[in-house]
Amino acid sequence: MTEKIICPYCEKALTEKYYCISCQKDFGVAARHSEEGTLPDYQIAQQDYIDNACFHFLKEFVPISHWDIAQISIIRDALISVLIKFHNKKEYDLYPWLLEPEDIVST
Ligand SMILES: [Zn+2]
């Protein structure tokens, strides 16, 4: 068993330099931020973009509604599901998460 970070797109283990060979993508910036427990600014901005879009959508129907993450997260989950299922988007691009090492069985 070794601890490795998994590619957020294809779920294969990244190299020591946080590179996914299958996707040919470098996750170095995100992985190093994850070690500090934070996302890079551009990923925080992406999360804010989605949450704000959900809040504006809610306000279309309830103009007096206030920012409530419980309500926003329900809309967000539905929106993300639609974007993935019907529009071929990647969850990690829409709403990125921390890349934390996981125990994987080495082969
Ligand atoms: Zn990958």
Side-chain angles (χ1 to χ4, degrees):
M1 296 274 272
T2 46
E3 285 228 306
K4 289 230 163 159
I5 292 179
I6 304 299
C7 174
Y9 297 110
C10 71
E11 297 185 353
K12 291 190 175 131
L14 301 183
T15 68
E16 273 144 52
K17 297 201 163 140
Y18 308 122
Y19 186 78
C20 178
I21 293 160
S22 306
C23 300
Q24 301 191 340
K25 249 177 127 49
D26 180 7
F27 294 97
V29 174
R32 277 185 288 276
H33 276 77
S34 292
E35 284 170 12
E36 322 258 297
T38 64
L39 294 172
D41 287 348
Y42 71 93
Q43 289 189 326
I44 292 171
Q46 174 60 31
Q47 288 189 342
D48 288 347
Y49 175 75
I50 292 277
D51 286 340
N52 279 318
C54 294
F55 184 48
H56 288 130
F57 180 71
L58 176 62
K59 283 206 147 208
E60 290 286 315
F61 298 92
V62 191
I64 57 155
S65 62
H66 295 287
W67 183 273
D68 176 13
I69 202 65
Q71 295 173 47
I72 289 165
S73 67
I74 293 171
I75 299 168
R76 181 213 297 153
D77 289 348
L79 173 63
I80 288 174
S81 297
V82 169
L83 291 173
I84 292 170
K85 190 169 179 185
F86 298 100
H87 302 282
N88 210 22
K89 304 279 187 189
K90 302 283 186 197
E91 183 174 8
Y92 186 72
D93 293 333
L94 297 166
Y95 209 81
W97 55 84
L98 290 179
L99 298 179
E100 288 176 323
E102 298 174 24
D103 284 333
I104 57 161
V105 182
S106 41
T107 48

